[in-house]
Amino acid sequence: MSEGRKLPDGLAVDVAARHLYWTNMGNPKANDGSIFRSDLDGRNMTTIIAPGDTFTAKQLQIDKPNGKLYWCDREGMRVMRANLDGSKIETLVDTSRGDPRPGADPNKWCVGIAVDADAGKLYWTDRGDPPRGNTVNRAPLDAPQAKRPQPEIVFSNLMEGIGLALDPKRGRMFITDFGGSVYSANLDGSDQKTLLFAEGNLTGIAYVELPAA
C-alpha cells in the first residue's frame, strides 16, 4: 500500500494544479478502499482518502471550481464526495436501503459517476438488476439529507452499467456497460442511441471535445 496501488480503478486529472488522482478498490471484503494523489510524473504521492474511509472506491470525478472529489463506492453501496484535500467526507446517496452486508447484493452497487455542477446534478451508474439496477441515475448535488428525493432513473436496461461521461455543453451523456456497448442520450434520458454493440467488456469512458481544425 505504501506505493499507492491496491487495485487502482478510477482516475482523474487536475491539469491546472498538475495533480493526478486515483482510487484504489482494495480488498472488496476488507473495507480498505482509498484515494491517492500525486504530481503528473508520479512524484509527491499523498493519501487523500485513507484506507477504510471508503469501502471499494470506483470511478472518480473532480469538480475543480467547487473544490470537490466525487466517487462511487461499490461494496459500500453509496455515492461519496470530499474536499480535494480529503477533508469533509460525505455520503450523498446510500443505495443499501438499510442492508448491513457490504456488497452482498449487487443490485445495490454504484460504479460510474459524473457531475454536472452547473445544473446542480450528480449522475451515477448502478450495476444491479432492474427495476432500479443496471441504470443511470441522477439526483440534486446538495439536497438536505432529510429531504433528499428518490434518485431519478434516466437510462435503464444496461448490461452491468460501468462508465459514464457527460457533455453538458450539448446536454448529452455517454455510457458503457460490461456487455460491450456504448450508448448516448440526452441528460434527461431522451434520444437514446446505441453507438457500439458487443465490443467485449467495456468499462471506463471519457468525453473529449477536439479543437476546430
Side-chain angles (χ1 to χ4, degrees):
M1 195 65 191
S2 61
E3 60 181 22
R5 298 196 305 265
K6 196 170 184 184
L7 289 179
D9 191 274
L11 185 67
V13 179
D14 182 346
V15 176
R18 300 189 63 78
H19 283 154
L20 179 68
Y21 292 82
W22 69 94
T23 61
N24 289 301
M25 291 196 299
N27 182 339
K29 298 181 180 180
N31 192 17
D32 62 351
S34 59
I35 298 177
F36 276 67
R37 184 190 76 200
S38 73
D39 296 341
L40 294 182
D41 62 4
R43 298 180 181 179
N44 298 317
M45 190 167 58
T46 303
T47 300
I48 300 299
I49 302 298
D53 285 341
T54 188
F55 205 114
T56 314
K58 297 290 287 180
Q59 190 173 356
L60 176 71
Q61 297 287 352
I62 294 178
D63 174 13
K64 185 62 182 293
N66 296 302
K68 295 290 185 180
L69 288 172
Y70 291 81
W71 70 96
C72 279
D73 184 341
R74 191 179 68 189
E75 267 69 20
M77 301 173 286
R78 55 193 170 175
V79 179
M80 304 184 72
R81 76 174 173 187
N83 293 334
L84 293 179
D85 63 0
S87 61
K88 198 179 178 183
I89 301 172
E90 300 175 81
T91 295
L92 301 178
V93 178
D94 182 353
T95 64
S96 70
R97 296 184 283 280
D99 190 342
R101 304 168 300 157
D105 186 354
N107 295 345
K108 300 170 183 176
W109 285 357
C110 302
V111 182
I113 191 168
V115 177
D116 186 348
D118 290 340
K121 296 288 185 181
L122 174 72
Y123 293 78
W124 69 95
T125 56
D126 186 314
R127 281 183 71 178
D129 290 332
R132 296 215 62 86
N134 269 308
T135 55
V136 176
N137 303 259
R138 71 178 179 182
L141 277 176
D142 289 304
Q145 188 166 5
K147 298 181 180 179
R148 286 176 184 165
Q150 182 81 351
E152 178 187 1
I153 295 174
V154 295
F155 200 107
S156 57
N157 297 315
L158 297 169
M159 296 294 291
E160 294 195 49
I162 307 282
L164 181 62
L166 302 184
D167 172 17
K169 183 177 177 181
R170 294 176 177 81
R172 300 183 298 175
M173 60 181 167
F174 299 88
I175 311 131
T176 62
D177 66 19
F178 210 55
S181 297
V182 178
Y183 308 94
S184 71
N186 293 334
L187 293 179
D188 63 1
S190 61
D191 194 25
Q192 298 183 8
K193 298 176 182 177
T194 300
L195 305 180
L196 293 172
F197 179 73
E199 295 290 330
N201 301 132
L202 301 182
T203 54
I205 189 171
Y207 175 78
V208 177
E209 189 166 324
L210 299 176

